[in-house]
Amino acid sequence: MTPEPLTPLDLAFWNIESAGHPLHMGGLVVLDAAGPDAARRAAGLLADHAARVPGLNTRIRPVLLPVGGAARHVAPGYDPSDHVHLTAPVRDFFAAAGALMQQPLDRERPPWAAHVLPGADGTSFAVLFTFHHAHADGIRAASYALSLLDPAAADGAPVPADAPRPRKSGSGLRLPGPRELPGMVRGAVGDAGRALAIGSAMARAALDVRSSPALASRATGARRADGATVDLNDVNRVREATGGTVNDVLLAVVAGGLRRWLDKRGDGSDGVRPRALVPVSLRDPGDPGASGNRLSGYLVRLPVDEAEPLARLRAVREVMRRNKLAGPAEGPGAAALLADVIPPLGHRFGGGLIARSGRLFYDLLVSSVPLRGVHGLTLAGGRVREAYPLAPLAPGQSLAVGITTYEDRVCYGLLADAVAVPDLDLLARSITEEAAELVAVCGS
C-alpha cells in the first residue's frame, strides 16, 4: 500500500493530544454472554476479524515532505492480537471504560484497540473499541467496529471499512503548470475569505458566553464514563407531536438533562446557555471506503436556562433550522475547516495551542454516530444489547456526549473529566428523566 498522507484535519487531531490528555474516541458495546467463556472466545474472534479488515494495519509516521506532515503506512510485523485485550471480570462496564479511555493509544503502532470486559455476573460482557481520531472519524470508526463483530449479523449495516483509496505520496513535489496558476490563486483567495468569515464567526460566538463552571475542567486526564438509554419509539412520538427532526429531540433531551443535573448538584441553571459543537460529516455517502476526516459542524446554544421542556425543544429546533439554512461550511461550527489553511508545520508546533483554544468557542461536544438500519449484531454467540459512543474530550472541557441509535433504543454515551465531574451517573439519570418528561408532556 502506498503511504497515504494525512489530511490537514487528520494532522491536527494527531498533534493536539498529549500523553497526559489523550483524544481518541471510543465505543462501548454491551452484549449478552452465550456461555461462561464468551468473553475469551470474543477476544479470539476480534483478533481473527481484525486481520481481515483493511486499514487497521496502518500506523502514522512523519514524512520528509511536506515538512511537518505525516502519512499512514502499513505497520511492519502487524499482529492484530497485540490490539485486543481481555481484562479481568468487572462489575461496572462504564467504570472500566472510563479508566481505559484515559490510557493513550500507542502511537508507534496502528492507533486502535479493543478491550474485552467480562461481566462479573457471567451473564454479559462488553467490548470497548478505541480509535485515534487521526485514524478514523466517527463514521469510519463505527464501520471498523461493525466489521470486527460477527460479519453476517448486521442486516443493512454500513459497508465494512474497505481499503482506503491510495493517494499520491507526500514524499515528492510537483510544480504547477502556467495554466493552473490562475485557478490556484482564485482558490487561495477563496480559502482566505472563508477562513476570515469562519474566524469572525468564532470571535462573535465567544461573546456573551453563558456557560457553567461545571462544564470546565483543568484537563486532569482522568476519565469517567457513563450512559443512558431512551426508547426510540418515545423519541419518534415526541417528534411526530412537535415537528422538526429526531436529532432536534435528542439535542433537547441533552439540554434538559443538563438543566436537571446542574440544579440537582446545586450549581443552578439560571442564565446558562452553553455552546454545543455538533459535528457534521462531509463524507461522500457514495464513497464509504474513503479515509481521512471530513468534518464541519454546527454551534448550538443549548437552552438550559429555559424552564419548560417543549420550549427547550422549540429553541433547539429553531437554532438547528438556522444552522442548516447557513450550511455546514459557514459559522463558528465550521472551525474544523480552518485546518486546511494551516501548514503542516503549524499543526506540529501549534497543536497544544490549538487544543487549548477549543474551550474559547464551545463548551461541550455533542456528537451523533449514525447506525441506520443496523440490527441483530452478535459476537461469540452473544447479542449486542446497547452501543454507547464515547466522544473525545477536549482540554479544558469536563464533558462530551455521544449519541447513537441501535435497534429500538437511543444510547447516550457520556465521557467526562473524572475530577471535574464525580457525579456523571447523576447526569445519566437526568437525561433519562428529561426524555420521560418530554414524552409525558407530548402525550397529555
Side-chain angles (χ1 to χ4, degrees), residues 29-31 146 149 153-155 157 229-232 369-379 382-389 403-412:
V29 177
V30 181
L31 307 95
L146 290 170
L149 297 171
D155 179 26
T229 58
V230 174
D231 190 298
L232 180 59
V369 180
L371 291 179
R372 299 184 185 93
V374 178
H375 57 87
L377 293 171
T378 66
L379 181 64
R383 184 181 178 88
V384 173
R385 298 198 317 245
E386 298 152 9
Y388 299 92
I403 310 173
T404 198
T405 300
Y406 177 66
E407 294 188 340
D408 60 352
R409 65 186 64 189
V410 178
C411 297
Y412 286 85

Side-chain angles (χ1 to χ4, degrees), residues 18-39:
S18 64
H21 194 101
L23 286 171
H24 50 263
M25 71 185 83
L28 182 66
V29 177
V30 181
L31 307 95
D32 295 318
D37 64 340

Side-chain angles (χ1 to χ4, degrees), residues 166-192:
R167 300 179 184 177
K168 292 183 179 180
S169 171
S171 59
L173 290 173
R174 187 185 73 85
L175 296 177
R179 296 182 180 180
E180 296 175 274
L181 287 173
M184 291 179 66
V185 170
R186 286 194 299 271
V189 171
D191 287 345

